[in-house]
Amino acid sequence: MSSPLRCPVNHSGAITLDPFVGDLDAESAALRAAGPLVRVVLPGGVACYSVTHHAQARQLLTDPRLVKDIDAWGAWQRGEIPPDWPLIGLANPGRSMLTVDGEEHRRLRTLVAQALTVRRVERLRAGIEELTGSLLDRLASLPSGEVVDLKAEFAYPLPMNVVSELMGVDAADHPRLKALFEKFFSTQTAPEEVPRMMADLGELFAGIVESKRREPGDDLTSALLAASEDGDHLTAEEITNTLQLMIAAGHETTISLIVNAVVALETHPGQRKLVLDGAVPWANVIEETLRWSTPTSHVLFRFASEDVAVGDRVLPAGEALIVSFGAIGRDEAEHGPTAGDFDVTRAAPNRHISFGHGPHVCPGAALSRLEATVALPALYARFPGLTLAVPRAELRNKPIVTQNDLFALPVRLT
């Protein structure tokens, strides 16, 4: 069980987010229908606000009165957020480019952004193609018609290996990382396990940073360390937290993008046919999946440094805000009356904001798109008869409030 909020909060009129994520589509629809700014209760009893419409999200994501400093959160200052809250690692992940604004944010982001420009990311294509081919070869060696968990055997190892190579993380660390990240993201991690899990993650990433300090390589972690020595004054904490952030975000989002695209195509045979016949490019599939079944359902947190008007409502000073991308992606005011439909022929440009907007837009967006651009057509070229092995209704979401993520994706490859 998640631990309750330490101080009573009046949740009257708020929407309680399902800790088990039983029906994310219905929850997103309810949030959207409640208006652009909605009071919500997160798993564990922590109350905040959610922005649920596209236009208002764009407004708030560029508003300097919304800050990333957790000390601006009144509930945090009052001691109402327990240290064993299962989502504490997402709420307070330590100092990195994710948790600072302005000049400090630009300073911390610069090196990462330089490493992940579209041009530099494109240079990774050959390695991604080779890894994709190896994973597909392994799948092809399995008995024909056998049920395979496509997430575990393909959608997970591809981005995990890519981002690990980029950051300089040894493949031997992957099993431990997987186990720790399962607890880190889950709403169901027992409170007594949270402090130990956070300490273990910190210890693991600090050890990786220290190994790169001793033996630098051609990777981003080594580049961050070199920049610190050259006078950029990156602290050990900033480097360690940036490594953790990049590994966490760099694989989770792409896993969900690949999985959700496959589910969308397999449950929309007409759309699937258009793509496999070559009538619609794979880029359309990727952008429509990002909009319609966005990998990131809710992003925690921004904090109001003063009252902020959102339409006819007010986000009060000292309150926390989450960005509900699952609701935003199907906003009819932005995407028209067919916003609820998966449609790979949707007119370009597909103006979703599923990788964020403004100064904190995801620096790994180009890499995630590239991985999906390589993986999806290669998967269907090798297995054009791929089908879901269970009805869509039997696919279960993991209990993760921030990710649109399945436990498994059982398919038959033919």
Side-chain angles (χ1 to χ4, degrees):
M1 293 287 292
S2 299
S3 61
L5 195 64
R6 297 295 197 243
C7 299
V9 173
N10 180 7
H11 298 323
S12 176
I15 293 177
T16 298
L17 301 188
D18 177 11
F20 295 100
V21 196
D23 190 342
L24 181 59
D25 287 349
E27 181 175 271
S28 294
L31 288 168
R32 200 165 48 249
L37 184 69
V38 184
R39 187 73 165 163
V40 298
V41 183
L42 294 169
V46 173
C48 63
Y49 284 81
S50 168
V51 58
T52 65
H53 291 191
H54 182 101
Q56 288 76 13
R58 285 175 64 93
Q59 167 202 335
L60 293 175
L61 288 171
T62 55
D63 192 321
R65 295 172 296 177
L66 271 294
V67 301
K68 301 289 285 185
D69 182 0
I70 197 170
D71 287 332
W73 190 11
W76 179 262
Q77 291 282 15
R78 295 189 296 270
E80 296 172 6
I81 309 302
D84 58 358
W85 182 37
L87 302 182
I88 193 67
L90 293 163
N92 186 32
R95 184 179 175 80
S96 73
M97 62 183 177
L98 182 68
T99 58
V100 295
D101 297 292
E103 185 56 41
E104 285 297 283
H105 172 254
R106 286 187 287 274
R107 179 180 70 87
L108 292 171
R109 185 182 172 107
T110 296
L111 284 167
V112 173
Q114 288 174 348
L116 293 174
T117 62
V118 173
R119 180 176 295 179
R120 289 196 176 192
V121 164
E122 187 61 30
R123 295 175 190 167
L124 301 173
R125 179 183 288 270
I128 294 171
E129 289 174 344
E130 182 179 357
L131 176 57
T132 297
S134 296
L135 292 170
L136 292 176
D137 287 345
R138 184 178 182 283
L139 289 175
S141 71
L142 299 175
S144 179
E146 181 176 301
V147 175
V148 175
D149 180 359
L150 193 67
K151 178 183 174 183
E153 300 297 332
F154 183 68
Y156 174 82
L158 176 61
M160 189 59 170
N161 279 281
V162 170
V163 76
S164 292
E165 182 174 347
L166 179 70
M167 300 303 298
V169 175
D170 196 291
D173 289 321
H174 289 184
R176 188 178 176 204
L177 279 171
K178 188 175 189 297
L180 287 171
F181 277 136
E182 289 279 348
K183 293 182 177 181
F184 178 82
F185 285 105
S186 178
T187 64
Q188 300 306 299
T189 300
E192 61 271 17
E193 295 181 33
V194 171
R196 182 69 262 170
M197 174 268 294
M198 293 296 294
D200 286 348
L201 271 173
E203 177 184 291
L204 175 57
F205 283 109
I208 294 169
V209 170
E210 185 55 36
S211 71
K212 291 298 173 181
R213 194 185 303 277
R214 293 192 304 268
E215 297 182 27
D218 183 19
D219 55 73
L220 186 50
T221 304
S222 297
L224 292 172
L225 285 163
S228 178
E229 293 169 359
D230 288 343
D232 270 15
H233 305 300
L234 293 166
T235 67
E237 179 193 15
E238 289 167 345
I239 295 170
T240 300
N241 290 340
T242 298
L243 171 60
Q244 179 171 329
L245 168 64
M246 293 298 295
I247 293 293
H251 79 284
E252 282 289 343
T253 299
T254 308
I255 292 168
S256 295
L257 173 55
I258 294 170
V259 166
N260 295 348
V262 170
V263 172
L265 290 173
E266 294 310 308
T267 53
H268 295 81
Q271 303 287 303
R272 180 184 188 274
K273 186 175 188 304
L274 286 172
V275 178
L276 297 192
D277 286 350
V280 174
W282 279 99
N284 288 34
V285 176
I286 292 164
E287 298 309 314
E288 183 66 348
T289 301
L290 286 166
R291 180 199 71 82
W292 184 78
S293 187
T294 181
T296 305
S297 45
H298 307 281
V299 167
L300 286 57
F301 278 121
R302 284 166 174 77
F303 310 101
S305 61
E306 58 183 87
D307 288 356
V308 179
V310 183
D312 61 354
R313 304 183 185 186
V314 173
L315 175 62
E319 288 287 351
L321 177 79
I322 65 172
V323 183
S324 293
F325 288 109
I328 291 164
R330 301 190 190 183
D331 183 0
E332 292 188 5
E334 176 63 28
H335 300 290
T338 63
D341 299 338
F342 178 74
D343 180 7
V344 295
T345 68
R346 194 171 298 278
N350 192 329
R351 284 171 46 86
H352 65 79
I353 55 170
S354 295
F355 282 116
H357 178 66
H360 286 275
V361 66
C362 176
L367 179 58
S368 185
R369 283 186 168 103
L370 174 60
E371 291 176 71
T373 298
V374 171
L376 289 167
L379 172 68
Y380 277 94
R382 186 72 68 95
F383 304 108
L386 182 154
T387 57
L388 295 182
V390 299
R392 173 66 181 92
E394 292 184 17
L395 298 175
R396 294 173 53 231
N397 282 85
K398 295 179 74 173
I400 301 176
V401 76
T402 56
Q403 298 295 125
N404 181 8
D405 191 12
L406 298 176
F407 275 103
L409 180 58
V411 300
R412 285 189 171 87
L413 302 172
T414 56

